[in-house]
Amino acid sequence: MCGIIGYIGQKDAAPILMSGLKRMEYRGYDSSGLAILHNGVIQIKKEVGKIAELEKLLNGQSLPGQLGLGHTRWATHGIPSRTNAHPHIDTEGHIALIHNGIIENYSALRQRLGARGHKFRTETDTETLAHLIEDSYQGDLLEAVQLALAQVKGTYGLAVICDKEPDRIIAARMGSPLVIGVGEGENFVASDLAAIIPYTRNAIYLDDGEVALIKKDSVQHRTLTNREVLKKIESVTLDLEEIEKGGYDHFMLKEIMEQPRTLEDSMRGRLLEEEGTAKLGGVADHLDKLAHARRIIIIACGTSWHAGLIGEHMIEEFARIPVEVEYASEFRYRDPIIEDGTFVIAISQSGETADTLAGLKEARRKGATTLGICNVVGSTIARETDAGIYLHAGPEIGVASTKAFTSQVTVLALLSILLGRMKGISSAQGRWMVREMKKLPGLVAKILENHEKIMHLAQKFKDHRNFLYLGRGYNFSIALEGALKLKEISYIHAEGYPAAEMKHGPIALIDKDMPVVFIATQDGTYEKVLSNIEEVKARKGIVIAVCTEGDKEMGERADYTIEIPRTMNFLMPILSVIPLQLLAYYIAVLRGCNVDQPRNLAKSVTVE
Ligand code: AGP
């Protein structure tokens, strides 16, 4: 999720672009850059690191020019570097482009352009787009952009300038937000209102498939096939802070609610329905070794460790490879046994967690082949592993991990389908699994529609001092994750346990004041969980059950039910965790806790 901004008007663009980039830095960035057109030449300034690094590079030098583009990068393809930073240019530097999104078919386009003599300077999908526009350019930038985008698969919010047409910016949207700010004798385009609010509150929101020709005193809208589109100017009332959170009260709620999109992004270009399998480019060179591993060890911390437990279950179920999941902090000091054929998978949203990094180094020192599953491109763990799979979930700002968790489980599901198909799962079964994965964003959206019911439940339970979360199989991992969400943001003590284990001790805790959250979806152990629910009820415990929609029996037994749609068992964790994320969030808000920055916690624990 990058930040993009463009300006055309009577003032110098550079200061406006820089202040806009700063207002988008919450979107996460690892590099940034400017393109300014002045006296017929496009000047490019780019730097790796925070916006402040770009400011240092500019070092107060004036960059005259009333037409320009600015970009903060959240890397998806190509490590964070000055070279890979946007804006990207065509062969001769006549065209400059900034882009937010993922061009799925960029490697095929790159090959085709390479065969036509184009030379590439970077590893990015975006540079390919700049060359594609150059290849289509015959004197009309709007037309060249339309022709180029007609060949593109994927998502984009982009802005393009050309030194031969100094009076315009061309912008286009497909799947990534883009808004035009309409000023007096000046116009703006940005991925985010936050960047343009100080200059104008008159906004035009582009829709998917639309292209805009932006001059300093006019804006025209077209489709890719050049049909005119009429757009209205809207007046924006949100303030800056609300805009950064997408209109939500907290980043955590925004990140919970954007999971239908982040799941799509994590699966984008990776599901092969015809073949009934998955495609994971970052694993390709080590896929055979992984599929024939003698043992897989998953190391992680916190929420990522919970994702690892689900990954263990999936890979053993479908690929029949022995898997064990270790707390990285324990693994690193235990002089672990790493025999030939051991593959170690490190799961880390930030890619910087000290214990996971240390565990990874220990595994490599002992000769293991390693795979990283990270969200931050170019992070230390991502760079230390032999193979890697990025989440593409965009920056996760809230300390309590939500969208990264469901994307981790999604990536592990993709991996287990890929390995399973190599180890004997039929193509028919694979196609069924792929079809079910494609439904996930819609199913999650359906659960999120019920958020008010969960808010009312939170009202009833916000003052309880202890919770138990219970589940079996895949649902045990979700019990752990649900308990962690509650305790880390509401400071209520909560424990996750295997449902059957309750009778080996925790049952002593149960009384009329103890809410017990069961993840009790209709899978192979459902009847057993029903018995556990009876055991709790017999001791006057309060039962909250996350259950399969339409489960009437559960409605009669539990005190409260949260119904979720049905899918294949291995994908149910992605659905059953959503109500628990919301329950924790609403209880924490009702308790007046600092949801996005809970006490004592950090987003990335880079110390032991
Ligand atoms: C999750 O909500 C917590 N913030 C924490 O447990 C986190 O999952 C853990 O610190 C691991 O972080 P990582 O995924 O960035 O390695």
Side-chain angles (χ1 to χ4, degrees):
M1 183 166 82
C2 306
I4 75 172
I5 178 170
Y7 174 80
I8 183 164
Q10 291 131 345
K11 305 185 189 92
D12 272 347
I16 293 170
L17 299 174
M18 285 305 287
S19 65
L21 293 181
K22 283 184 205 158
R23 270 190 291 280
M24 290 189 285
E25 63 186 21
Y26 76 91
R27 295 172 69 92
Y29 53 78
D30 43 55
S31 51
S32 61
L34 298 179
I36 307 283
L37 178 62
H38 181 55
N39 293 340
V41 175
I42 295 177
Q43 287 197 71
I44 301 284
K45 298 286 181 189
K46 310 199 278 192
E47 188 54 286
V48 67
K50 296 181 184 296
I51 309 284
E53 299 308 315
L54 180 59
E55 273 183 321
K56 273 189 219 149
L57 179 80
L58 298 177
N59 189 22
Q61 65 181 286
S62 79
L63 265 181
Q66 286 74 44
L67 170 63
L69 304 174
H71 185 276
T72 65
R73 184 167 181 245
W74 169 266
T76 55
H77 295 75
I79 61 162
S81 66
R82 188 184 281 183
T83 311
N84 286 338
H86 301 209
H88 287 292
I89 56 174
D90 65 336
T91 310
E92 308 288 330
H94 296 303
I95 291 170
L97 165 79
I98 51 177
H99 166 232
N100 175 26
I102 297 173
I103 305 298
E104 261 176 62
N105 63 331
Y106 86 100
S107 27
L109 292 170
R110 208 178 170 95
Q111 272 166 20
R112 199 188 319 154
L113 289 163
R116 293 164 63 92
H118 289 262
K119 298 271 178 286
F120 297 97
R121 303 177 184 86
T122 79
E123 317 148 48
T124 65
D125 55 339
T126 303
E127 189 199 4
T128 309
L129 208 43
H131 283 262
L132 191 60
I133 294 169
E134 173 196 4
D135 201 60
S136 314
Y137 188 76
Q138 285 137 9
D140 179 332
L141 186 60
L142 170 64
E143 185 188 44
V145 171
Q146 289 167 321
L147 289 171
L149 294 180
Q151 304 168 62
V152 159
K153 281 199 211 105
T155 56
Y156 51 80
L158 62 85
V160 197
I161 59 175
C162 174
D163 57 14
K164 299 184 179 73
E165 301 180 38
D167 65 340
R168 65 195 62 192
I169 298 173
I170 305 297
R173 177 198 156 137
M174 179 62 75
S176 293
L178 212 50
V179 60
I180 293 170
V182 181
E184 297 290 323
E186 60 185 12
N187 284 320
F188 309 76
V189 61
S191 46
D192 199 308
L193 265 175
I196 55 180
I197 275 290
Y199 308 102
T200 176
R201 285 184 172 274
N202 298 319
I204 300 173
Y205 295 91
L206 286 192
D207 290 309
D208 283 353
E210 291 180 355
V211 185
L213 193 165
I214 306 168
K215 295 186 174 178
K216 64 174 188 291
D217 44 20
S218 70
V219 184
Q220 295 170 40
H221 299 274
R222 297 276 191 285
T223 62
L224 286 187
T225 51
N226 210 33
R227 182 171 49 76
E228 194 175 358
V229 179
L230 296 178
K231 303 291 287 181
K232 65 178 187 313
I233 297 177
E234 303 186 32
S235 175
V236 178
T237 52
L238 287 176
D239 66 29
L240 196 52
E241 199 199 334
E242 287 169 308
I243 289 163
E244 287 176 353
K245 292 170 186 150
Y248 292 106
D249 292 341
H250 300 96
F251 280 111
M252 183 179 174
L253 185 58
K254 172 173 173 281
E255 287 150 10
I256 290 171
M257 291 299 183
E258 66 187 6
Q259 287 178 106
R261 182 176 59 74
T262 52
L263 289 176
E264 278 174 357
D265 287 346
S266 296
M267 293 187 277
R268 193 178 306 286
R270 293 170 161 173
L271 283 170
L272 303 178
E273 185 162 359
E274 276 304 295
E275 301 88 312
T277 187
K279 181 177 76 170
L280 295 166
V283 188
D285 296 347
H286 302 274
L287 189 55
D288 231 40
K289 212 173 194 181
L290 179 56
H292 299 96
R294 180 176 171 163
R295 184 163 63 108
I296 294 174
I297 301 172
I298 297 176
I299 60 172
C301 302
T303 284
S304 299
W305 185 81
H306 297 152
L309 290 176
I310 296 168
E312 170 188 18
H313 204 134
M314 290 172 170
I315 295 171
E316 289 198 346
E317 179 177 357
F318 300 117
R320 308 307 295 162
I321 302 169
V323 180
E324 60 190 78
V325 183
E326 299 270 1
Y327 281 114
S329 53
E330 292 297 309
F331 177 82
R332 67 182 285 192
Y333 289 116
R334 216 196 46 225
D335 189 13
I337 296 168
I338 303 278
E339 66 269 62
D340 274 353
T342 301
F343 215 104
V344 171
I345 299 179
I347 304 176
S348 174
Q349 187 285 131
S350 61
E352 303 299 343
T353 298
D355 284 323
T356 308
L357 180 57
L360 180 63
K361 287 181 172 171
E362 177 68 354
R364 287 177 63 86
R365 189 179 67 81
K366 294 196 167 204
T369 310
T370 58
L371 163 66
I373 296 178
C374 297
N375 193 29
V376 181
V377 174
S379 54
T380 308
I381 289 171
R383 280 183 284 116
E384 285 276 335
T385 46
D386 301 300
I389 311 171
Y390 285 123
L391 300 184
H392 296 328
E396 188 174 67
I397 313 290
V399 164
S401 186
T402 50
K403 65 175 184 175
F405 173 74
T406 49
S407 285
Q408 287 168 342
V409 177
T410 297
V411 159
L412 287 160
L414 291 168
L415 184 62
S416 59
I417 291 173
L418 176 56
L419 296 173
R421 290 280 285 113
M422 293 172 72
K423 304 294 289 282
I425 283 192
S426 72
S427 53
Q429 163 93 3
R431 276 194 290 277
W432 179 25
M433 296 166 87
V434 167
R435 278 196 302 275
E436 286 302 302
M437 286 204 76
K438 286 188 165 180
K439 293 177 194 168
L440 287 171
L443 296 178
V444 168
K446 194 174 169 199
I447 297 169
L448 291 171
E449 283 165 13
N450 255 346
H451 65 275
E452 287 190 4
K453 176 176 178 185
I454 296 165
M455 187 162 54
H456 295 318
L457 205 54
Q459 292 275 5
K460 294 179 189 303
F461 290 97
K462 64 183 176 63
D463 299 320
H464 284 267
R465 301 300 302 150
N466 294 287
F467 277 71
L468 259 185
Y469 285 69
L470 302 176
R472 289 176 181 247
Y474 284 112
N475 291 333
F476 162 49
S477 315
I478 297 303
L480 293 172
E481 176 57 14
L484 175 61
K485 285 288 101 39
L486 184 69
K487 59 179 160 242
E488 69 175 324
I489 62 174
S490 71
Y491 317 142
I492 295 172
H493 177 249
E495 268 189 278
Y497 246 87
E501 269 300 295
M502 178 191 60
K503 54 185 177 293
H504 300 284
I507 197 164
L509 295 170
I510 292 172
D511 59 22
K512 64 179 177 39
D513 297 323
M514 172 69 91
V516 182
V517 180
F518 278 91
I519 299 86
T521 49
Q522 285 169 332
D523 57 17
T525 57
Y526 175 73
E527 296 302 330
K528 306 285 181 203
V529 174
L530 282 181
S531 316
N532 297 140
I533 288 174
E534 290 310 324
E535 289 156 13
V536 170
K537 300 286 291 171
R539 288 151 183 87
K540 309 231 177 318
I542 309 160
V543 173
I544 302 167
V546 176
C547 61
T548 308
E549 64 191 10
D551 183 349
K552 297 215 177 340
E553 180 150 19
M554 191 57 70
E556 286 150 20
R557 299 198 187 201
D559 299 292
Y560 303 91
T561 56
I562 305 167
E563 295 192 357
I564 60 173
R566 182 84 199 246
T567 181
M568 295 177 85
N569 283 346
F570 82 111
L571 298 176
M572 284 306 291
I574 295 167
L575 304 185
S576 54
V577 75
I578 305 293
L580 304 185
Q581 294 172 345
L582 289 168
L583 183 64
Y585 170 78
Y586 287 123
I587 288 177
V589 168
L590 289 165
R591 292 168 62 89
C593 298
N594 182 342
V595 172
D596 283 333
Q597 280 107 22
R599 68 186 182 196
N600 313 336
L601 289 180
K603 183 59 188 168
S604 175
V605 183
T606 53
V607 294
E608 280 211 45

Short mmCIF file of all heavy atoms in Angstrom, two decimals, residues 301-304 347-351 353 399-401 408 484-485 488 605, ligand 1:
data_model
loop_
_atom_site.label_atom_id
_atom_site.label_comp_id
_atom_site.label_asym_id
_atom_site.label_seq_id
_atom_site.Cartn_x
_atom_site.Cartn_y
_atom_site.Cartn_z
N CYS A 301 6.79 -16.13 16.87
CA CYS A 301 6.40 -15.59 18.19
C CYS A 301 4.96 -15.12 18.13
O CYS A 301 4.47 -14.76 17.06
CB CYS A 301 7.27 -14.41 18.58
SG CYS A 301 9.02 -14.80 18.64
N GLY A 302 4.30 -15.11 19.26
CA GLY A 302 2.98 -14.47 19.39
C GLY A 302 1.97 -14.95 18.37
O GLY A 302 1.81 -16.14 18.12
N THR A 303 1.31 -13.98 17.75
CA THR A 303 0.27 -14.30 16.77
C THR A 303 0.83 -15.12 15.63
O THR A 303 0.19 -16.04 15.12
CB THR A 303 -0.35 -12.99 16.27
OG1 THR A 303 -1.22 -12.49 17.28
CG2 THR A 303 -1.14 -13.18 14.99
N SER A 304 2.05 -14.82 15.22
CA SER A 304 2.67 -15.57 14.12
C SER A 304 2.88 -17.03 14.52
O SER A 304 2.81 -17.93 13.67
CB SER A 304 4.00 -14.92 13.73
OG SER A 304 3.73 -13.59 13.29
N ILE A 347 8.05 -17.39 10.52
CA ILE A 347 6.87 -16.56 10.22
C ILE A 347 6.98 -15.28 11.03
O ILE A 347 7.12 -15.33 12.27
CB ILE A 347 5.56 -17.28 10.57
CG1 ILE A 347 5.46 -18.63 9.85
CG2 ILE A 347 4.35 -16.40 10.22
CD1 ILE A 347 4.22 -19.44 10.22
N SER A 348 6.94 -14.14 10.37
CA SER A 348 7.06 -12.87 11.09
C SER A 348 6.46 -11.74 10.27
O SER A 348 6.92 -11.46 9.17
CB SER A 348 8.53 -12.54 11.35
OG SER A 348 8.65 -11.25 11.92
N GLN A 349 5.42 -11.08 10.80
CA GLN A 349 4.80 -9.95 10.10
C GLN A 349 5.83 -8.87 9.84
O GLN A 349 6.00 -8.45 8.71
CB GLN A 349 3.65 -9.39 10.95
CG GLN A 349 2.79 -8.33 10.32
CD GLN A 349 3.43 -6.95 10.22
OE1 GLN A 349 3.39 -6.35 9.16
NE2 GLN A 349 4.05 -6.43 11.29
N SER A 350 6.54 -8.47 10.87
CA SER A 350 7.49 -7.35 10.74
C SER A 350 8.77 -7.78 10.04
O SER A 350 9.48 -6.98 9.45
CB SER A 350 7.86 -6.84 12.13
OG SER A 350 8.48 -7.89 12.87
N GLY A 351 9.11 -9.08 10.17
CA GLY A 351 10.39 -9.54 9.62
C GLY A 351 11.57 -9.04 10.42
O GLY A 351 12.71 -9.11 9.97
N THR A 353 11.53 -9.42 14.23
CA THR A 353 11.45 -9.92 15.61
C THR A 353 12.74 -10.62 16.00
O THR A 353 13.17 -11.57 15.33
CB THR A 353 10.25 -10.87 15.74
OG1 THR A 353 9.07 -10.11 15.45
CG2 THR A 353 10.15 -11.46 17.13
N VAL A 399 -0.87 -2.41 16.88
CA VAL A 399 0.08 -3.35 17.49
C VAL A 399 -0.50 -4.76 17.52
O VAL A 399 0.19 -5.74 17.31
CB VAL A 399 0.45 -2.87 18.91
CG1 VAL A 399 1.10 -3.98 19.72
CG2 VAL A 399 1.35 -1.65 18.84
N ALA A 400 -1.80 -4.87 17.76
CA ALA A 400 -2.42 -6.20 17.78
C ALA A 400 -2.60 -6.66 16.34
O ALA A 400 -3.27 -6.01 15.54
CB ALA A 400 -3.76 -6.14 18.49
N SER A 401 -2.00 -7.78 16.02
CA SER A 401 -2.01 -8.24 14.63
C SER A 401 -3.36 -8.85 14.26
O SER A 401 -3.88 -9.70 14.98
CB SER A 401 -0.91 -9.29 14.44
OG SER A 401 -0.81 -9.64 13.09
N GLN A 408 -1.26 -14.56 6.90
CA GLN A 408 -0.29 -15.64 7.19
C GLN A 408 -0.97 -17.00 7.00
O GLN A 408 -0.42 -17.90 6.35
CB GLN A 408 0.24 -15.51 8.62
CG GLN A 408 1.22 -14.37 8.81
CD GLN A 408 1.50 -14.08 10.29
OE1 GLN A 408 0.74 -14.48 11.19
NE2 GLN A 408 2.58 -13.38 10.56
N LEU A 484 -5.22 -14.15 23.02
CA LEU A 484 -4.12 -13.17 22.95
C LEU A 484 -4.67 -11.80 22.55
O LEU A 484 -4.31 -10.78 23.13
CB LEU A 484 -3.07 -13.62 21.93
CG LEU A 484 -1.93 -12.63 21.68
CD1 LEU A 484 -1.13 -12.36 22.94
CD2 LEU A 484 -1.00 -13.12 20.57
N LYS A 485 -5.56 -11.76 21.57
CA LYS A 485 -6.15 -10.48 21.14
C LYS A 485 -6.78 -9.78 22.33
O LYS A 485 -6.58 -8.59 22.55
CB LYS A 485 -7.21 -10.72 20.06
CG LYS A 485 -6.66 -11.04 18.69
CD LYS A 485 -6.02 -9.89 17.97
CE LYS A 485 -4.55 -9.75 17.96
NZ LYS A 485 -3.57 -10.72 17.83
N GLU A 488 -4.10 -8.63 25.10
CA GLU A 488 -3.08 -7.63 24.76
C GLU A 488 -3.67 -6.24 24.54
O GLU A 488 -2.96 -5.25 24.62
CB GLU A 488 -2.25 -8.06 23.56
CG GLU A 488 -2.96 -8.07 22.22
CD GLU A 488 -1.97 -8.41 21.09
OE1 GLU A 488 -0.81 -8.00 21.14
OE2 GLU A 488 -2.40 -9.09 20.15
N VAL A 605 9.00 -6.56 18.19
CA VAL A 605 9.86 -6.76 19.37
C VAL A 605 11.27 -7.09 18.89
O VAL A 605 11.62 -8.24 18.64
CB VAL A 605 9.29 -7.90 20.25
CG1 VAL A 605 10.14 -8.05 21.51
CG2 VAL A 605 7.83 -7.62 20.61
C1 AGP B 1 0.26 -9.97 18.03
O1 AGP B 1 -0.98 -9.30 18.14
C2 AGP B 1 1.33 -9.31 18.87
N1 AGP B 1 1.47 -7.95 18.52
C3 AGP B 1 2.64 -10.09 18.90
O2 AGP B 1 2.35 -11.31 19.53
C4 AGP B 1 3.29 -10.40 17.53
O3 AGP B 1 2.53 -11.34 16.84
C5 AGP B 1 4.68 -10.99 17.81
O4 AGP B 1 5.46 -10.01 18.46
C6 AGP B 1 5.40 -11.44 16.53
O5 AGP B 1 5.62 -10.34 15.69
P1 AGP B 1 6.10 -10.62 14.16
O6 AGP B 1 4.99 -11.37 13.50
O7 AGP B 1 6.33 -9.28 13.58
O8 AGP B 1 7.35 -11.45 14.25
#
